[in-house]
Amino acid sequence: MEEENQIKLHGMWGSTFTKRVELALKLKGIPYEYIEEDLSNKSQLVLKYNPVHKKVPVIVHNGKPIIESLIILEYIDETWKNSPGCCLMIPMKELKFASGPLFEDMGRVITSDGEAQEKATKDLFEKLTVLEEGMKEFFPGGTPSINGENLGLLDVLMCALFGPYKAHEEVLGMKMIDPERNPLLFSWVMAITELPVVKESTPPHEKNALQSSVA
């Protein structure tokens, strides 16, 4: 029904969490209204819908606010089960790894410097190695076969996390995803970021580089 598609998404262009939700909505073919928020001057609606954490993303579905990106993704998948597009759910173990420790290490690499950044980089590379080994179960043939119809939640999370990797590498002056060190991960990210629906959701390279430099 038409009113089931009445979605408003409050987000911020540089937020990885917002990108997760945007991509999931687009993959499901769900029309939505996007409202850009200024996190230094939060709107009254964000404060109303998320009074405790006061963060984005927030989606409002027929007047009902849903907060926290993973909860939003689960809500989207459960509410629009029969929508065209992918089924987003994946095993919880992989989901927790991608959205927890891996995401935290990536954030520390981008936002730290000196010895702290060196340690964060070492921790990130170790977790990427673990992920590379785990991916062999997902892609036994060695090369991911990905299209807009078979993306899962893990693809959405990894795209939001590593989609702007080139901008991050440019600012940090180092290789984060190395085709020799992490061939499956590199192929996976390449396949995802080349999809038209993903390109539509990705900010310009210059904007990503600026975000990385001031994060």
Side-chain angles (χ1 to χ4, degrees), residues 38-84:
D38 179 356
L39 298 189
S40 64
N41 184 26
K42 300 179 179 70
S43 72
Q44 289 302 309
L45 287 176
V46 168
L47 299 178
K48 172 186 174 182
Y49 294 139
N50 193 357
V52 177
H53 301 294
K54 303 179 178 65
K55 294 180 179 179
V56 296
V58 176
I59 68 167
V60 183
H61 180 207
N62 294 333
K64 173 186 175 183
I66 301 98
I67 62 174
E68 298 187 18
S69 62
L70 289 181
I71 294 175
I72 293 172
L73 293 177
E74 292 177 1
Y75 179 84
I76 290 170
D77 205 45
E78 287 296 315
T79 304
W80 287 275
K81 284 181 178 290
N82 298 321
S83 294

Side-chain angles (χ1 to χ4, degrees), residues 132-143:
E132 181 79 14
E133 290 301 312
M135 285 178 62
K136 293 177 181 178
E137 299 179 17
F138 286 96
F139 308 121
T143 302

Side-chain angles (χ1 to χ4, degrees), residues 170-186:
E170 181 179 306
V171 171
L172 297 171
M174 66 178 184
K175 280 282 185 184
M176 299 189 76
I177 306 178
D178 192 307
E180 295 185 4
R181 184 177 60 238
N182 307 111
L184 277 177
L185 176 59
F186 183 82

Side-chain angles (χ1 to χ4, degrees), residues 8 20 34 59 63 71 79 84 93 100 107 114 127 159 171 179 201 203-204 208:
K8 292 185 178 181
R20 296 174 178 180
Y34 177 75
I59 68 167
I71 294 175
T79 304
K93 179 181 71 174
K127 289 182 176 64
C159 177
V171 171
S201 305
N208 277 322

Side-chain angles (χ1 to χ4, degrees), residues 135 139 144 146 154-155 158 184-192:
M135 285 178 62
F139 308 121
I146 294 174
L154 186 57
D155 297 301
M158 295 302 289
L184 277 177
L185 176 59
F186 183 82
S187 298
W188 187 15
V189 172
M190 288 295 96
I192 295 172

